[in-house]
């Protein structure tokens, strides 16, 4: 955060509790300077927890590269089996899986990511969460295999494999753009 303008918006931050009633704490940002154009301005920032992060969000196909994934389903899910699934056809509207929606459109790449779990280019895409409910994995590229995908975006998301009640957890989608 940085303060901006004559009212120094952003110089006052406070925990706001759960203002929007989504079960997560919110952040209050204010401008304290009297007489400034932003005087009395207060904004509330609500954050949605990301359970899957992928870095970087683009990969050069001209050289071998990797997108590293971190997945955090929380300690309540420790030890559960997970699977990373991919899509070449986007994230909306998604695919219903029992009581949840997988934030990916299922296509041929989805099937390949499932049947090729833990086989290159997927690293640790199928496994069990650790005692903290976390896992790490990666996607590897090579010019020979991915040259035809320049300009496309591959999206990935992680699901917890179904328990007795069926599918009950899917991460947010993580994009990966293939660039020259």
């Amino acid at each position: 955060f940085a303060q901006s303008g004559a009212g120094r918006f952003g110089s006052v931050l406070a925990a706001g509790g759960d203002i929007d009633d989504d079960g997560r704490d919110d952040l209050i940002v204010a401008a304290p300077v009297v007489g400034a154009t932003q005087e009395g301005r207060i904004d509330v920032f609500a954050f949605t927890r990301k359970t899957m992060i992928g870095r970087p969000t683009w990969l050069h196909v001209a050289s071998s590269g990797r997108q590293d994934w971190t997945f955090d389903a929380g300690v309540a899910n420790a030890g559960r089996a997970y699977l990373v699934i991919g899509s070449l056809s986007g994230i909306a509207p998604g695919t219903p899986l029992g009581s949840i929606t997988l934030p990916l459109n299922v296509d041929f790449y989805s099937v390949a990511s499932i049947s090729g779990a833990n086989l290159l280019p997927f690293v640790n895409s199928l496994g069990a969460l650790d005692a903290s409910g976390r896992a790490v994995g990666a996607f590897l590229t090579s010019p020979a295999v991915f040259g035809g995908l320049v300009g496309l975006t591959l999206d990935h998301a992680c699901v917890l494999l179904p328990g007795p009640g069926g599918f009950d957890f899917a991460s947010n989608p993580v994009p990966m753009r293939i660039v020259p």
Side-chain angles (χ1 to χ4, degrees):
F1 289 94
Q3 61 186 17
S4 66
R8 294 184 30 220
F9 183 73
S11 61
V12 174
L13 305 173
D18 187 11
I19 294 171
D20 61 357
D21 201 30
D22 68 352
R24 296 176 185 94
D25 287 342
D26 303 311
L27 177 68
I28 298 173
V29 181
V33 177
V34 175
T37 57
Q38 295 178 343
E39 176 183 348
R41 177 177 167 187
I42 298 174
D43 284 353
V44 176
F45 293 88
F47 299 95
T48 300
R49 181 175 173 255
K50 296 213 181 274
T51 54
M52 187 170 176
I53 298 171
R55 297 273 193 275
T57 56
W58 49 267
L59 288 176
H60 287 285
V61 76
S63 61
S64 295
R66 69 185 282 144
Q67 181 184 54
D68 290 303
W69 297 322
T70 56
F71 178 61
D72 185 351
V75 71
N77 291 304
R80 289 196 54 192
Y82 69 88
L83 172 66
V84 176
I85 301 173
S87 175
L88 270 169
S89 53
I91 61 173
T95 304
L97 286 178
S99 65
I100 64 167
T101 298
L102 174 67
L104 302 172
N105 297 329
V106 174
D107 56 24
F108 74 93
Y109 177 63
S110 306
V111 174
S113 67
I114 294 167
S115 62
N118 289 343
L119 301 174
L120 290 178
F122 303 103
V123 176
N124 205 25
S125 61
L126 172 66
L129 300 175
D130 68 15
S132 298
R134 296 184 182 120
V136 296
F139 182 91
L140 308 177
T141 62
S142 68
V145 178
F146 294 95
L149 299 179
V150 171
L152 297 179
T153 298
L154 287 75
D155 292 290
H156 297 95
C158 192
V159 295
L160 295 183
L161 296 181
F167 286 98
D168 60 359
F169 191 99
S171 75
N172 54 283
V174 171
M176 181 180 62
R177 183 131 174 104
I178 307 293
V179 297

